Amino acid sequence: PQIAAELGVATIMEGAVQRAGNMVRINVQLIDAQTDEHLWAQIFDRELTTENLFAIQSEITENIAESLQAELTPAEAERVRSQPTHNLEAYSAYLRGMRALETREVGAMQNALTDLQRSVELDPDFALGWAGIAQVAEVLPSWGGMTRDEGKALSVPAAERAMELAPELGEANLALAMALEGDEALVQFQKAVDMLPNHAMAHQWYANTLQGPPGPEWLKALQLLRKAEELDPMSPNPRAQVARQLIFMNRYEEAERQLRVVMQADPDYVPAKGFMSWVNGGLGNFDQSIRWSLEYLEADPNVRFPRRGLVFALVDLQDRDRLERLADDWRSANPNDPSVQLADIGLAVIDGRFGAMREIASAAGSLRGLAERMGAMALT
């Protein structure tokens, strides 16, 4: 009952898996949280093959639906009984990759990409594997580890391949939405969310696409993120993204409370440190903002986005010397890193060279909005 209350659910599935050589035992039980009584329970002793694995998953799903007196639609039943791959190693690589993606650590996400690419090498017709590649290639550039162009070069063909193999697969449609841009992406995201109503990341990535300039879409983004948080309450990602959206909306106190919950629930989720840097910058606590950014960079040296909070804080403090040293360090490591251009924009703002600021931002279109915010901060 306590677990159900924390998750906001009425029924819990509990299970354990034991493996010995090629044999697997899966012990599953469905529990009514209110009465703490079993609705259904079963033990599966099978040889571990892809056919048996997916057959067990299908049987569990159908038994749960029957126990809850829920009726699967024909499309749902077809998805439940489908077998995404005949290669067990490919499926294992896919699961490892998607789990690593959830960490939002650059090294882990690079490993995720390797695992997912391995999954489609083992089974070139594995649509979920291709969709996973597209998803990682779209997420990774935002954090570091590859450029946006490198990401697109991977995500677009991978999403197209997933759609070619399985056009009715929700994950393939989600991958395509992530690879598209502009209005096309928004239309495709709505389609993907309709196909995957219980997929937390589908709601989160749709929301991220709406996090552009200030406007009415921000409220819709927050609603989508709250839904993602409701769908996966134990994952730090949706919770942290709610805080990110609140930061965009200048609701810093709410964002800070949200992040405290994230950090208490999962102290190892290091991106929360980056968002805390943004919060403190928005609240005018620039020394704290710098501290959080440096802590994040120490925990994940390859990550890119905390550098943004660091630049903003140093611009606010008018600490030109320190920002120039960081810019030189980043330029030495990778002269094409967007962090270098952002630091150069910050230096131009500190110097009052707003023409140069606009010129740098114009050359790097993705930084234009950040440059405008920095310039507005300097003028106020």
Side-chain angles (χ1 to χ4, degrees):
Q2 181 183 346
I3 295 171
E6 290 181 13
L7 295 175
V9 298
T11 314
I12 290 177
M13 185 179 75
E14 186 176 86
V17 179
Q18 295 173 297
R19 182 175 176 179
N22 292 328
M23 297 302 295
V24 63
R25 166 171 286 192
I26 303 175
N27 188 342
V28 189
Q29 45 197 352
L30 190 66
I31 303 169
D32 184 322
Q34 186 174 359
T35 63
D36 211 8
E37 294 178 353
H38 290 84
L39 297 173
W40 167 76
Q42 191 163 339
I43 296 175
F44 299 87
D45 286 310
R46 303 282 172 85
E47 182 182 0
L48 188 57
T49 65
T50 49
E51 288 78 8
N52 284 341
L53 178 65
F54 293 118
I56 292 169
Q57 290 185 15
S58 299
E59 190 172 340
I60 290 172
T61 304
E62 290 169 350
N63 274 287
I64 289 172
E66 183 179 347
S67 298
L68 298 177
Q69 298 181 335
E71 186 173 344
L72 297 174
T73 66
E76 288 170 338
E78 184 178 350
R79 285 201 298 272
V80 164
R81 297 183 186 118
S82 67
Q83 186 168 327
T85 179
H86 294 279
N87 189 305
L88 191 59
E89 189 180 345
Y91 189 61
S92 295
Y94 167 77
L95 293 178
R96 283 196 307 272
M98 296 309 291
R99 178 66 188 93
L101 172 61
E102 292 179 12
T103 67
R104 296 303 192 267
E105 294 180 21
V106 174
M109 288 192 287
Q110 289 172 326
N111 291 336
L113 186 58
T114 300
D115 276 325
L116 290 161
Q117 288 172 326
R118 175 63 177 159
S119 77
V120 297
E121 288 173 8
L122 293 165
D123 181 358
D125 295 331
F126 187 18
L128 278 176
W130 288 108
I133 290 171
Q135 290 168 17
V136 174
E138 281 295 317
V139 173
L140 190 52
S142 299
W143 301 82
M146 70 168 55
T147 66
R148 175 56 61 190
D149 288 343
E150 289 170 339
K152 284 294 181 188
L154 284 172
S155 69
V156 173
E160 289 175 347
R161 177 62 174 154
M163 286 293 292
E164 177 187 347
L165 290 167
E168 299 305 316
L169 181 68
E171 287 84 355
N173 281 268
L174 176 58
L176 180 61
M178 296 175 72
L180 294 172
E181 296 181 354
D183 291 340
E184 279 187 310
L186 295 178
V187 172
Q188 184 64 30
F189 264 116
Q190 186 59 62
K191 179 180 178 182
V193 166
D194 290 341
M195 296 176 75
L196 298 167
N198 297 319
H199 194 300
M201 286 296 99
H203 290 76
Q204 177 179 318
W205 287 327
Y206 186 9
N208 290 349
T209 303
L210 298 171
Q211 290 173 333
E217 297 292 356
W218 275 11
L219 183 57
K220 182 175 181 180
L222 184 59
Q223 291 170 341
L224 285 164
L225 290 168
R226 291 290 191 196
K227 181 63 176 178
E229 183 182 28
E230 176 189 327
L231 289 169
D232 193 359
M234 304 310 290
S235 171
N237 283 316
R239 285 179 169 179
Q241 290 298 320
V242 168
R244 180 178 186 236
Q245 183 60 35
L246 291 170
I247 292 168
F248 288 161
M249 300 169 78
N250 297 327
R251 292 160 61 174
Y252 299 113
E253 290 83 0
E254 290 178 70
E256 185 173 23
R257 289 195 295 272
Q258 181 81 2
L259 288 169
R260 294 292 181 191
V261 172
V262 174
M263 297 171 79
Q264 183 177 2
D266 191 346
D268 295 328
Y269 182 72
V270 292
K273 298 178 185 290
F275 293 131
M276 283 296 285
S277 172
W278 289 10
V279 165
N280 279 276
L283 292 172
N285 304 326
F286 303 123
D287 288 337
Q288 288 298 311
S289 177
I290 291 170
R291 179 180 72 83
W292 281 111
S293 290
L294 292 175
E295 279 193 24
Y296 188 7
L297 287 168
E298 183 179 353
D300 190 357
N302 296 314
V303 75
R304 183 178 296 144
F305 97 82
R307 298 180 181 185
R308 183 184 306 177
L310 196 53
V311 170
F312 268 84
L314 292 171
V315 168
D316 277 311
L317 290 173
Q318 296 289 291
D319 192 341
R320 192 187 197 287
D321 290 343
R322 193 171 185 180
L323 181 55
E324 188 170 30
R325 287 196 300 271
L326 283 173
D328 290 342
D329 289 343
W330 296 341
R331 203 183 319 272
S332 297
N334 180 6
N336 298 317
D337 192 317
S339 305
V340 176
Q341 297 164 316
L342 185 61
D344 287 340
I345 289 170
L347 291 168
V349 170
I350 291 174
D351 295 341
R353 295 180 287 112
F354 294 107
M357 177 201 80
R358 295 187 185 94
E359 188 175 325
I360 299 168
S362 179
S366 62
L367 298 178
R368 192 169 301 150
L370 293 173
E372 291 171 359
R373 284 173 59 196
M374 243 188 282
M377 284 161 42
L379 292 173
T380 55

